[in-house]
Every structure is written in C-alpha cells, then in structure tokens.
C-alpha cells in the first residue's frame, strides 16, 4: 500500500522539515532535495523541499517522526 508522507517530520540535530503532501509507492524511492536544486533531477521521484536539511558530519542522525512525535525510522550517517 502507499505510504503517505504529509503528516511526517524529518529531523536532524539542528532543524526539522514537514514532509511534503505526497506518497511513496511500494518497492520505490523518493529523492528529497532543496527546491532550488530540484530542477537538476530528471526524475519524477525527486521532490524539492523548502528549508531542506543539510547533513553536517559523520555520526549525524536523521529521524522521521509522525505527528505524535513517535519515531517512524532513523538513520545515522558514517564515513
């Protein structure tokens, strides 16, 4: 079934963004980028987001939360 993103929040150590009103199909992907860079992607699965999060350093965690602040998913980046 489709995964709706419109009530989710993507958060890093210093900022957060509300996910766009869109969905992800099963067995697919979605590329999030800044609105200023979205034209660089010739992919229907790329969406520009206002105030996009910047991944700063190794060890930074990105967390996806629902509207009740429950963690849906998280990932920590490393070299």
């Amino acid at each position: 079934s489709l995964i709706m993103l419109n009530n989710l929040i993507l958060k890093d150590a210093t900022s957060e963004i509300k996910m766009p009103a869109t969905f992800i199909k099963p067995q697919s992907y979605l590329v999030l980028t800044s609105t200023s860079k979205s034209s660089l992607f010739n992919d229907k699965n790329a969406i520009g987001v206002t105030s996009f999060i910047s991944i700063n350093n190794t060890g930074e965690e990105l967390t996806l939360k629902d509207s009740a602040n429950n963690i849906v998913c998280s990932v920590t980046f490393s070299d």
Side-chain angles (χ1 to χ4, degrees):
S1 64
L2 299 176
I3 300 171
M4 300 304 296
L5 300 180
N6 60 325
N7 290 321
L8 300 177
I9 297 168
L10 184 63
K11 183 177 183 336
D12 72 355
T14 59
S15 58
E16 66 182 39
I17 59 169
K18 184 177 178 187
M19 296 295 286
T22 191
F23 59 87
I24 300 175
K25 295 177 184 178
Q27 305 296 316
S28 68
Y29 64 93
L30 180 67
V31 176
L32 299 175
T33 186
S34 63
T35 52
S36 64
K37 304 250 170 104
S38 62
S39 63
L40 299 174
F41 292 87
N42 293 326
D43 190 328
K44 64 181 179 180
N45 292 331
I47 294 178
V49 180
T50 306
S51 302
F52 188 70
I53 289 174
S54 175
I55 300 169
N56 301 313
N57 296 312
T58 294
E60 180 160 18
E61 181 178 42
L62 288 181
T63 305
L64 190 61
K65 294 186 173 189
D66 66 14
S67 58
N69 210 33
N70 297 310
I71 295 174
V72 174
C73 183
S74 68
V75 63
T76 302
F77 289 88
S78 62
D79 289 338

